[in-house]
Amino acid sequence: MGLLEPGVRALALMAIESARTVVIASHIDPDGDALGSSLGLALILRNLGKDVIVYNRDTVPYSYKFLPGADQVVNRLPDECDLLCLLDCSEFARAGDELLDWNGYKRSLCIDHHLTADPAADINLIYSDACATGELIYELAVVLEPGFGLNVAANLYTAILTDTGSFRYSNATPSSFAVAGDLVARGVEPWEITQQVYESQPVERLKLTALVLETLQIAGSKRAAAVWVTEAMFAATGTDGEYTDGLINYPRSIAGVEVAFMAREIGPDDYKFSFRSRGLVNVAALVTDFGGGGHHNAAGCRLQGKLEELIEKIFALVDTELKKLESND
Ligand SMILES: [Mn+2]
């Protein structure tokens, strides 16, 4: 069983085995899967005697600093390596400009679960049925014993836990549970990881949450909801953009709301919008007209204008979309 096709898996394993020096990179603004899968793979390869560097353009968010190996993530690329592994994204640009411009590697291997039109690496293991990149790394890990220790398991468990929203999202499959079950059997303590990821927030984040929830706006149809965050709120609570992670789930959690979004002020009359769908509306399609992108249930774009007007415009757009979807039923 498993998602990886044996032929491609063999190619990936050959590339890994023949490399002595490896750089593992992932997308900017890294989440639990980007970091858990990167650090998990790094530990496997180090346990097999390879020189491994884990690169990310951005710093590790506070909720993932506990991950084994997180203190060794660097934001500088070395001069060269044998193999570059790009995880949880398939375009070099998603990992930032420095990686995009870098050509110090001899081969590249991409492991990802986002659908993409044009994967850029030499070898591509891209399976959108995987709940997380961590699930694909797990399939390599079981072949790469004895590199697969408890620290690897903790990283992969975190990757799967966070990308499935604690096994609540529609991407949680029998395989996600089976892999998580095996990771727990290998010694991972679910409550330990849960506390680190979800129950160790700085008090500043709760204060920011209170301010953001005050902004709640609900569309006349009651099927869309919005919140926003400003520089003034960050200043008042001693926080920054890193602390907004997950806040958008609050407006989406309202009964009847199909689409929720959060606006983040990045300048005068200039906002970054994040969207979440409950599943009916494709928010990636909704934002294409605004030059945005993403997935069916999570997308983003940038818009300029008066915030109240932008929110009303998006509320109207969601209504139109819902009416269109429901008249097709
Ligand atoms: Mn992922």
Side-chain angles (χ1 to χ4, degrees):
M1 242 187 66
L3 295 161
L4 300 181
E5 291 159 88
V8 194
R9 188 181 69 184
L11 271 181
L13 290 170
M14 259 156 45
I16 287 170
E17 270 154 30
S18 63
R20 199 185 57 78
T21 54
V22 181
V23 168
I24 299 173
S26 186
H27 56 79
I28 58 177
D29 211 357
D31 55 16
D33 187 26
L35 290 165
S37 55
S38 294
L39 294 168
L41 181 62
L43 290 167
I44 296 167
L45 300 186
R46 284 189 191 127
N47 289 343
L48 295 173
K50 299 182 188 303
D51 268 333
V52 185
I53 287 172
V54 178
Y55 167 86
N56 202 285
R57 190 198 72 176
D58 297 327
T59 52
V60 176
Y62 62 81
S63 39
Y64 300 119
K65 286 204 162 78
F66 77 97
L67 288 172
D71 55 335
Q72 288 169 42
V73 177
V74 299
N75 57 10
R76 271 277 170 78
L77 287 163
D79 290 337
E80 54 181 32
C81 71
D82 297 329
L83 180 68
L84 167 65
C85 298
L86 184 65
L87 305 189
D88 206 35
C89 60
S90 56
E91 289 159 20
F92 291 87
R94 279 283 292 134
D97 287 344
E98 190 190 1
L99 192 94
L100 182 62
D101 295 338
W102 189 53
N103 45 27
Y105 55 91
K106 297 194 181 101
R107 291 177 96 181
S108 58
L109 164 68
C110 166
I111 305 173
D112 187 21
H113 67 131
H114 301 95
L115 272 184
T116 181
D118 193 17
D122 299 326
I123 306 165
N124 293 285
L125 275 59
I126 299 173
Y127 294 88
S128 59
D129 288 342
C131 67
T133 299
E135 186 181 351
L136 299 170
I137 303 291
Y138 169 86
E139 289 196 25
L140 297 178
V142 290
V143 189
L144 291 171
E145 301 266 14
F148 193 175
L150 177 56
N151 284 343
V152 172
N155 272 301
L156 300 184
Y157 183 87
T158 304
I160 292 169
L161 178 77
T162 54
D163 256 24
T164 58
S166 307
F167 305 98
R168 290 172 302 167
Y169 297 155
S170 54
N171 64 347
T173 63
S175 162
S176 322
F177 286 95
V179 170
D182 183 50
L183 295 171
V184 173
R186 287 170 185 267
V188 170
E189 302 268 7
W191 177 231
E192 274 299 310
I193 308 266
T194 300
Q195 286 188 79
Q196 295 283 1
V197 176
Y198 299 113
E199 310 216 8
S200 301
Q201 61 178 327
V203 65
E204 290 81 3
R205 183 174 183 276
L206 213 61
K207 290 182 172 165
L208 179 71
T209 305
L211 294 182
V212 169
L213 292 182
E214 282 288 319
T215 69
L216 180 67
Q217 301 283 307
I218 307 211
S221 66
K222 306 222 184 323
R223 306 191 71 186
V227 290
W228 65 85
V229 63
T230 61
E231 280 306 318
M233 293 180 197
F234 290 140
T237 52
T239 57
D240 56 35
E242 191 193 310
Y243 290 76
T244 61
D245 199 34
L247 293 184
I248 193 173
N249 293 326
Y250 287 104
R252 187 179 64 177
S253 71
I254 300 165
V257 166
E258 285 295 336
V259 173
F261 54 96
M262 180 162 85
R264 178 177 159 193
E265 182 185 50
I266 51 175
D269 291 338
D270 195 359
Y271 297 90
K272 242 176 90 176
F273 281 79
S274 318
F275 290 79
R276 293 290 183 279
S277 168
R278 194 180 279 274
L280 200 55
V281 176
N282 180 352
V283 286
L286 204 69
V287 300
T288 34
D289 283 351
F290 305 139
H295 310 280
H296 187 100
N297 287 341
C301 67
R302 184 174 168 177
L303 288 170
Q304 274 109 17
K306 293 274 166 251
L307 185 58
E308 305 77 57
E309 288 165 21
L310 295 174
I311 288 175
E312 282 309 321
K313 190 167 150 187
I314 297 167
F315 279 166
L317 207 65
V318 172
D319 275 354
T320 311
E321 191 57 31
L322 279 165
K323 283 191 186 116
K324 222 191 288 172
L325 283 166
E326 283 159 355
S327 67
N328 287 344
D329 277 352

